[in-house]
Amino acid sequence: MVKKVVHFKFNPYLPITETWIYYQIKNLERYKPVVYAPYTENLDLYRVDKIRTVRYRHSRQNEKTTFIERIAGALYFNASSVFFLLEDRPDLIHAHFGPSGYQFLYPAGITKTPLITSFYGFDVGQLVKQSPDWMDKYKKLFFHGKLFLTEGSHMKKTLVELGCPEDKIVLQHLGIDLDQIRFLSRTLKED
């Protein structure tokens, strides 16, 4: 039986600046990927076999919404995510970026699917400084999440300082496909 992993991203799948996420999905060998995202872009560059559209709000994230619209959007997101998870039956969920992990806590909990969250930078340092309410949200994520992936030891240290148990953190260095980058020999100028 083929194992499945859901890759969830609270933002679109996939901006040109986030190629490392595509390579994590594309290079899976033991798991069949299913992508969940609120909307898509660049599908001609980042093809996957199966994408599910799960919207948090009826409008895009940067548009103003009323309190009722936000509640309705959250209910819709959770209901549709749980429905898709029950249909897809993944063995685990991999949320890309801390806010994505937090947003998927409820659907993962309802379906009892292990939640792994990758942190990439902004979500660890800048976001918490800009919006201190993320400290409480991350405490919930760290308690309920199964595992947390970081690119390096500095980010691991930062996650621990935010309250993540060190034994739940694994370093996962992001690789580069060297065949995609043409080598150019360079020489230093005297000046």
Side-chain angles (χ1 to χ4, degrees), residues 28-89:
L28 287 173
E29 294 178 0
R30 295 182 309 168
Y31 288 84
K32 180 179 178 179
V34 180
V35 172
Y36 287 28
Y39 51 99
T40 61
E41 56 188 48
N42 302 309
L43 289 179
D44 56 326
L45 298 173
Y46 308 119
R47 295 179 193 275
V48 292
D49 291 337
K50 189 172 189 178
I51 296 179
R52 300 281 200 170
T53 302
V54 289
R55 296 191 195 287
Y56 185 71
R57 296 181 184 154
H58 298 291
S59 58
R60 293 218 174 179
Q61 192 175 355
N62 58 353
E63 293 178 11
K64 295 210 179 226
T65 56
T66 66
F67 176 75
I68 298 296
E69 287 173 325
R70 287 194 302 275
I71 296 297
L75 290 171
Y76 176 78
F77 169 81
N78 285 326
S80 63
S81 297
V82 168
F83 176 80
F84 287 145
L85 287 172
L86 290 172
E87 190 174 295
D88 291 330
R89 307 175 120 202

Side-chain angles (χ1 to χ4, degrees), residues 110-178:
I110 289 293
T111 60
K112 298 187 181 345
T113 310
L115 176 64
I116 296 170
T117 303
S118 286
F119 285 85
Y120 296 109
F122 167 81
D123 49 356
V124 174
Q126 213 171 351
L127 180 63
V128 175
K129 290 175 186 164
Q130 289 175 352
S131 302
D133 62 317
W134 275 101
M135 288 293 292
D136 290 333
K137 292 175 181 178
Y138 279 171
K139 283 179 187 174
K140 289 178 187 171
L141 177 61
F142 297 150
F143 181 78
H144 294 288
K146 184 80 170 168
L147 192 69
F148 302 93
L149 305 176
T150 64
E151 295 181 67
S153 57
H154 176 72
M155 199 176 303
K156 178 180 179 178
K157 180 180 173 230
T158 306
L159 268 185
V160 169
E161 290 169 357
L162 291 174
C164 185
E166 191 169 357
D167 63 334
K168 284 188 167 186
I169 304 171
V170 172
L171 293 181
Q172 179 185 357
H173 302 290
L174 299 177
I176 298 170
D177 184 355
L178 296 177

Side-chain angles (χ1 to χ4, degrees), residues 8 10 56 77-78 98-107 134 137:
F8 172 67
F10 188 55
Y56 185 71
F77 169 81
N78 285 326
S100 297
Y102 178 77
Q103 294 300 334
F104 229 68
L105 274 174
Y106 181 80
W134 275 101
K137 292 175 181 178

